[in-house]
Amino acid sequence: MRITETEFPYKPIIETERLILRPIRAEDYLDAFEWCGDPVVNKYMLYPLYTKAEDVRKWIESIDHNNPDAYEYAFVEKESGKVIGSGGLYYHEDIDVWAVGYNLRHDRWGRGYVTEAERAIIEYVNSIRPIRELQGEFAQENVGSGKVMEKLGMSYLRDGEYTKWDGSATFKAYIYSSLAGKKSADSESINGRPNHPAENKIRKISESDAPSICEICSEEMGYKCSLSLAQEKIKNLDSRREAVFVAEVKSQVVGFVHVERYDVLYFESMANLLGLAVKRDFQKLGLGKALLLAAEKWAKEKGIRLMRLNSGINRTDAHAFYEHLGYVSEKEQKRFLKAL
């Protein structure tokens, strides 16, 4: 799987053996109409049958690729260069579940394209936002869709029912889940989330990570780092008031975030970001965002409602990163130090 950046943060081009997966674009509307307007493909879909290609174009234009909770990708067949389907993942925050969805033109059914596409998208999303649970719903008569979900690691959870948006049909359904029939999540995983197959993961720091932390501090933050001091600091972390998470790629620690509880007399408790860094070769892959989300979740679990951080005045790329994730610049400051 090969990843290439696009103009949309955290929505890269993903290349698999037979497909190029990218954010769907308005100019794809004629290819998309070939399945959106096909009664065979549409039979079990929520949306009504499209009768005009222009309406498909309007649908595509309505998609917000800057939404971090929705991945709507075009499936481009390498051999033909055509967009043969679309789909992705869609996050439901209220139940902490990622829903799987997809469409594929009828003459490409039975070739494993949907499984190939969804596996790659799941692997990428899981690398930047650890997935607790996948779910999918399909009409009981739609056996092919059920087989796809089984290949994606899901199994029967419960019966369901859904109605097309225009009310034209209602289907008895099966709801499949990646957690169905499984034991509780591995307690060593980040935030109690279960492990999923992926090259990248976010986890709590361990003492053995000290050499990698020193390297990152030196190369990416410009700080001299004593290995023995780093080992001591990690060993003595106070879990009641601070946490450190690391980003790991193929068992290599390539980034970290350090967050602490911040209390002052004049304001409610806040979470203070003490450090966030990712190795240069692993930047622009969503690891920084995943680390920051881990820090924010830790803060929420402590009952903290506000994050704060300081960023150097000249670090404009970092400023854009934080602003994209909802942080607002409050004021400019100077920092004063005095040796004691």
Side-chain angles (χ1 to χ4, degrees), residues 56-75:
V56 177
R57 184 184 64 80
K58 291 177 181 178
W59 159 63
I60 296 174
E61 288 178 341
S62 73
I63 296 170
D64 179 9
H65 288 303
N66 290 308
N67 179 2
D69 292 337
Y71 288 77
E72 186 72 52
Y73 272 73
F75 304 164

Side-chain angles (χ1 to χ4, degrees), residues 87-303:
L89 292 178
Y90 315 91
Y91 184 59
H92 298 273
E93 184 176 8
D94 55 332
I95 54 175
D96 194 15
V97 162
W98 287 89
V100 176
Y102 41 79
N103 277 276
L104 192 73
R105 52 184 292 158
H106 187 216
D107 61 2
R108 298 305 198 277
W109 287 9
R111 303 188 191 183
Y113 278 129
V114 170
T115 304
E116 183 175 327
E118 290 290 338
R119 275 179 178 163
I121 296 169
I122 290 167
E123 181 177 345
Y124 170 73
V125 173
N126 191 49
S127 74
I128 63 171
R129 295 177 66 177
I131 295 173
R132 187 187 71 85
E133 181 180 6
L134 294 168
Q135 278 192 15
E137 184 174 17
F138 62 96
Q140 293 180 7
E141 298 89 347
N142 191 4
V143 178
S145 193
K147 290 180 178 178
V148 169
M149 294 186 191
E150 288 173 357
K151 290 176 182 177
L152 295 175
M154 290 182 274
S155 58
Y156 175 82
L157 179 65
R158 63 178 184 273
D159 286 358
E161 184 178 278
Y162 66 91
T163 301
K164 278 181 169 286
W165 291 336
D166 63 357
S168 61
T170 297
F171 301 100
K172 297 293 184 181
Y174 294 131
I175 298 173
Y176 273 29
S177 166
S178 61
L179 294 186
K182 294 184 179 180
K183 294 182 179 181
S184 60
D186 180 358
S187 61
E188 294 301 314
S189 299
I190 180 70
N191 296 326
R193 296 175 185 267
N195 292 319
H196 289 268
E199 294 180 344
N200 309 347
K201 67 179 179 180
I202 307 298
R203 60 168 174 81
K204 292 180 180 179
I205 197 169
S206 66
E207 290 182 50
S208 62
D209 297 324
S212 297
I213 299 299
C214 271
E215 183 180 348
I216 295 168
C217 287
S218 175
E219 294 181 358
E220 307 304 333
M221 304 177 76
Y223 299 137
K224 292 182 179 180
C225 181
S226 161
L227 178 57
S228 60
L229 180 61
Q231 290 172 329
E232 181 184 352
K233 293 286 187 179
I234 295 171
K235 182 179 180 180
N236 294 325
L237 282 172
D238 184 354
S239 61
R240 296 169 299 177
R241 58 172 298 276
E242 63 182 326
V244 180
F245 301 100
V246 298
E248 190 177 74
V249 177
K250 293 183 178 179
S251 301
Q252 176 188 358
V253 173
V254 299
F256 77 94
V257 64
H258 187 182
V259 60
E260 69 167 358
R261 187 181 189 94
Y262 183 78
D263 290 303
V264 293
L265 296 176
Y266 52 84
F267 206 78
E268 64 179 299
S269 295
M270 295 175 278
N272 187 34
L273 201 69
L274 295 173
L276 171 63
V278 176
K279 282 189 174 182
R280 191 168 288 104
D281 291 343
F282 295 89
Q283 293 175 4
K284 307 296 185 181
L285 296 177
L287 296 174
K289 178 181 179 181
L291 286 166
L292 191 54
L293 289 173
E296 291 176 0
K297 184 154 182 78
W298 174 87
K300 290 177 182 177
E301 291 172 350
K302 297 292 184 183

